[in-house]
Amino acid sequence: MVGTLKKQELNHQEETKKLIREHEEAEERLDHLHDAPDGYIENNGQAPGFVIPTRNGEYKPAYYIKKLPEGRVAGHPESYTKGDVPFIADSFALPLRGSMPSAPIPNWLLAILTGTASQFEALVYAARQHDDWGIEADIQRVRAADDQTAVICRCIQQLWAEQGVAEQQQELAMFRLEQAQLPHLVQQLQGLAGRPRERKDQHINFKAARQA
């Protein structure tokens, strides 16, 4: 009976030590969490390619990170102290380790990337489930570039339309001058003729390119 009591007392002491150790570790984790900069989280794979220089000249993954607009991310090392200036970098998608060789984006995914707003929002939501900021950033870049391309195409079409109107006005004016016998009226200026203006050459080349 005495041996049983001693064994129970030893077990109780070991359990007490374990609880004290776990409590101290929990407090250390809590203190460490409170040391994180405001708005930052620990980098648990959200920005795997984001490395920052250390004091000894090496590079290490950013320990604290914060998502910024336009696919950027801010980061601090683990040794962060209050008032330190964060490192800023662009966030990109990285190759998946141990995966099959990469393949072109399939047509169904291209259709979603450049599709309706609801389709694109569903894609962004699905990408966020993987908690990889680089993937989401590049998805947003594809969409932004597609929107920008559409705007540029509309501007080009508008310029072509305006050029066509200007060319018609020029041709009509030239026709009226021909009918008015302008060459005969100003033939004394024939010696002034030189090379066409450079912008005229550019205009002709642009017109030929558009017609091609």
Side-chain angles (χ1 to χ4, degrees):
M1 183 175 178
V2 173
T4 302
L5 290 174
K6 288 183 177 180
K7 184 177 180 181
Q8 291 178 347
E9 182 178 357
L10 290 174
N11 291 338
H12 176 71
Q13 291 176 355
E14 290 296 328
E15 185 67 23
T16 300
K17 291 179 180 179
K18 180 181 178 182
L19 291 173
I20 292 174
R21 184 169 60 254
E22 291 177 350
H23 179 72
E24 291 175 347
E25 291 175 354
E27 286 185 340
E28 289 179 0
R29 287 195 298 270
L30 185 61
D31 291 340
H32 188 61
L33 180 62
H34 288 320
D35 290 338
D38 292 339
Y40 286 73
I41 63 172
E42 291 188 12
N43 187 2
N44 292 318
Q46 295 89 343
F50 185 14
V51 294
I52 55 180
T54 61
R55 294 177 180 176
N56 57 6
E58 298 178 351
Y59 287 85
K60 289 186 177 181
Y63 194 85
Y64 299 111
I65 55 174
K66 179 181 180 180
K67 185 186 291 186
L68 300 176
E70 300 180 355
R72 296 181 301 163
V73 59
H76 285 287
E78 186 175 4
S79 58
Y80 161 82
T81 57
K82 189 174 181 179
D84 286 351
V85 178
F87 294 87
I88 308 295
D90 290 320
S91 185
F92 299 104
L94 296 178
L96 190 62
R97 293 181 179 178
S99 63
M100 297 183 297
S102 61
I105 300 294
N107 291 334
W108 64 264
L109 185 51
L110 286 174
I112 295 175
L113 281 165
T114 59
T116 64
S118 60
Q119 290 174 325
F120 184 72
E121 289 173 2
L123 174 61
V124 172
Y125 177 81
R128 285 176 179 167
Q129 307 312 305
H130 298 279
D131 210 18
D132 187 327
W133 295 354
I135 291 178
E136 181 183 348
D138 275 337
I139 287 175
Q140 296 286 359
R141 289 188 183 101
V142 170
R143 182 72 169 197
D146 184 68
D147 291 342
Q148 184 180 11
T149 300
V151 171
I152 293 172
C153 287
R154 288 194 294 269
C155 291
I156 291 174
Q157 292 173 355
Q158 178 65 27
L159 289 173
W160 281 352
E162 293 177 2
Q163 180 185 350
V165 172
E167 289 172 351
Q168 290 178 2
Q169 292 175 347
Q170 182 187 44
E171 290 172 359
L172 286 172
M174 294 281 286
F175 174 76
R176 291 192 295 267
L177 292 173
E178 290 171 357
Q179 296 295 308
Q181 299 295 321
L182 177 64
H184 175 71
L185 297 176
V186 295
Q187 62 180 347
Q188 71 275 15
L189 302 178
Q190 185 173 358
L192 295 178
R195 296 180 58 187
R197 291 183 301 174
E198 184 178 355
R199 65 179 183 180
K200 180 64 176 180
D201 292 340
Q202 293 174 347
H203 166 72
I204 294 173
N205 292 337
F206 181 71
K207 179 180 178 181
R210 181 168 67 87
Q211 291 175 344

